[in-house]
Every structure is written in structure tokens, then in C-alpha cells.
Amino acid sequence: MAKDERFRDLPAIETERLLLRTLEMEDAEDIFEWVSDPHVTTYLFWRAHQSIEDSRDFISWVTTDNLACWGVGLTENSKIIGNCFLHNVNFEHKRAEIAFNIARKYWGRGYATETAQAIIRFGFEYWRLNRIEGTCMVENSASARVMEKTGMTLEGVLRQYVYVKGRSHDMKLYSILNPNRNR
Ligand SMILES: CC(C)(COP(=O)(O)OP(=O)(O)OC[C@H]1O[C@@H](n2cnc3c(N)ncnc32)[C@H](O)[C@@H]1OP(=O)(O)O)[C@@H](O)C(=O)NCCC(=O)NCCS
């Protein structure tokens, strides 16, 4: 399947401390360094990468599938310490879902919030979306807190919404609406 042109040539986005940019195959080592950490994947749908080949497959997937994925790079040294997605994008209904992950070593420094704020701005200003939503397992308090800090509103809990790693999980659903669109 060819990548939809709207997901190609995504702009790099600079924030105060980060450079959000599309991933290259050369980033596989940086990705493997932290996605191989099972603490990162506890509340994710996928398991920690077992080998650098998993990280290469991941980069190949995000660069060919119909989604937008930015690597989260530290401005100070260009290291890729996280990623952020807009996926399940529905241009007809002007909405998308956001997801973000940061290397454990860098948790608690506001990087996920800084990233999510920039990507939400991209979705509203560049793609003219009206709604950006995000979900997290109910136990994932850090993710819920990031969504709250970006101004997203808790809409409710989707009961037993996903079947992951051998059991069903309740998911919190958050969303934010574009303040500058006529609704
Ligand atoms: C969720 C995640 C992206 C947050 O990244 P981060 O860069 O540490 O996030 P920030 O520093 O911007 O904000 C984290 C907030 O969560 C809070 N937090 C962290 N752990 C918490 C916990 N166990 N309970 C309650 N709040 C918690 C922090 O205190 C902070 O809030 P504060 O600024 O009000 O103090 C990161 O923990 C991660 O990558 N986790 C693994 C992957 C994942 O779960 N991704 C989300 C998928 S839905």
C-alpha cells in the first residue's frame, strides 16, 4: 500500500527543548535503546523490542503506513528519546488520535507534554482537524496526566475496550477540540 501523500513529507517541528522529526533507518539504535525496556511497554499494545531488527521493522512500518510519526529528538544532542503519533486519522470527520512514548531515563521532565502540545498544534493548524483524541489504560496515570496537562478533557472510560497481553483492559478516553474552528 502506498503511503497517502498527506502523511508524506511531514514537517519537522521545533519546540523549546526538542526537535520532532520523521524517523530514518539510522535511528534504529536510538529507538532500540529505550523501546527494548519493558517498563516502557507495560501499558502499550506491543511488547518491548527484542532485537535491533524489531526497531528497524518499527521504523519501516511508521514510514510506510498511513499515520504520522515523529521521533522526539533532544535539541542538545539530536538523540531520539521518544516518539509521537497521529494515527487513526479521519480527514472526512477532521479527527485523529494521538499517542506518545518517552525513554524511561527521561520521564518526568515534561518532554511528553511538550511533544503532545506541539503535535496537537500541528493537527489543528496544518491539517485543520477539529478533534484530537487519546486513550490510555486506566492504570497509566502518567499518560492520563500528560493528556490533562495538554488541555484534553476526560470523556469517560471505555470498558474492556482492548484485549492486550492476555486480558481485556478498560481505557480512558480524552479529547481536545480545535478552539479556532467554526463548529
Ligand atoms: C506516559 C509518558 C509518555 C510520560 O512521559 P513524560 O515525559 O514523563 O511526561 P511529562 O513529564 O510531560 O508528564 C508526566 C506527568 O505524569 C505524572 N506522573 C508520572 N507518573 C505518575 C504516576 N504513576 N501517577 C500519577 N502521575 C504520574 C508526572 O508527575 C507528570 O505530571 P506533573 O507535571 O503534574 O508532575 C511516559 O511515562 C512513557 O513513555 N510511558 C511508557 C509509554 C506509555 O505509556 N505511553 C503512553 C501510551 S497511552
Side-chain angles (χ1 to χ4, degrees):
M1 180 179 64
K3 196 164 173 109
D4 183 307
E5 64 181 34
R6 288 170 291 199
F7 298 104
R8 284 194 228 133
D9 304 323
L10 292 170
I13 301 170
E14 278 182 69
T15 67
E16 199 186 329
R17 297 173 295 170
L18 305 168
L19 175 65
L20 314 179
R21 61 155 178 88
T22 48
L23 291 171
E24 312 283 342
M25 218 26 105
E26 294 71 46
D27 298 316
E29 272 181 34
D30 278 2
I31 298 277
F32 181 67
E33 196 174 311
W34 58 273
V35 185
S36 55
D37 175 357
H39 289 94
V40 169
T41 56
T42 307
Y43 301 121
L44 302 185
F45 296 178
W46 32 281
R47 293 187 187 279
H49 290 180
Q50 300 299 305
S51 70
I52 188 112
E53 207 45 53
D54 289 345
S55 302
R56 289 198 190 104
D57 289 347
F58 169 79
I59 293 170
S60 175
W61 167 61
V62 298
T63 45
T64 54
D65 214 343
N66 281 334
L67 50 76
C69 174
W70 289 264
V72 177
L74 284 178
T75 310
E76 61 189 34
N77 61 10
S78 304
K79 200 169 174 59
I80 296 292
I81 59 142
N83 56 39
C84 188
F85 294 81
L86 284 176
H87 62 128
N88 292 330
V89 183
N90 187 320
F91 289 107
E92 183 187 351
H93 295 297
K94 302 184 184 303
R95 65 168 191 252
E97 192 172 333
I98 191 168
F100 37 76
N101 305 297
I102 297 287
R104 180 153 60 113
K105 190 170 152 187
Y106 297 95
W107 287 357
R109 300 189 196 179
Y111 288 143
T113 305
E114 192 168 319
T115 299
Q117 283 168 337
I119 297 303
I120 288 170
R121 203 174 312 121
F122 167 89
F124 286 162
E125 291 176 8
Y126 194 86
W127 276 348
R128 312 285 296 159
L129 297 175
N130 186 43
R131 171 188 164 97
I132 294 179
E133 56 193 29
T135 61
C136 65
M137 289 184 189
V138 289
E139 300 89 352
N140 196 350
S141 308
S143 179
R145 182 76 191 117
V146 170
M147 290 193 269
E148 282 162 10
K149 289 198 291 177
T150 58
M152 298 176 85
T153 301
L154 179 63
E155 294 192 339
V157 173
L158 303 164
R159 295 179 300 161
Q160 307 287 289
Y161 194 61
V162 293
Y163 188 84
V164 177
K165 298 170 186 166
R167 69 177 184 91
S168 294
H169 299 261
D170 292 349
M171 301 288 284
K172 284 183 174 173
L173 171 64
Y174 284 85
S175 75
I176 185 167
L177 301 181
N178 187 340
N180 298 318
R181 275 193 66 86
N182 294 326
R183 286 190 287 279

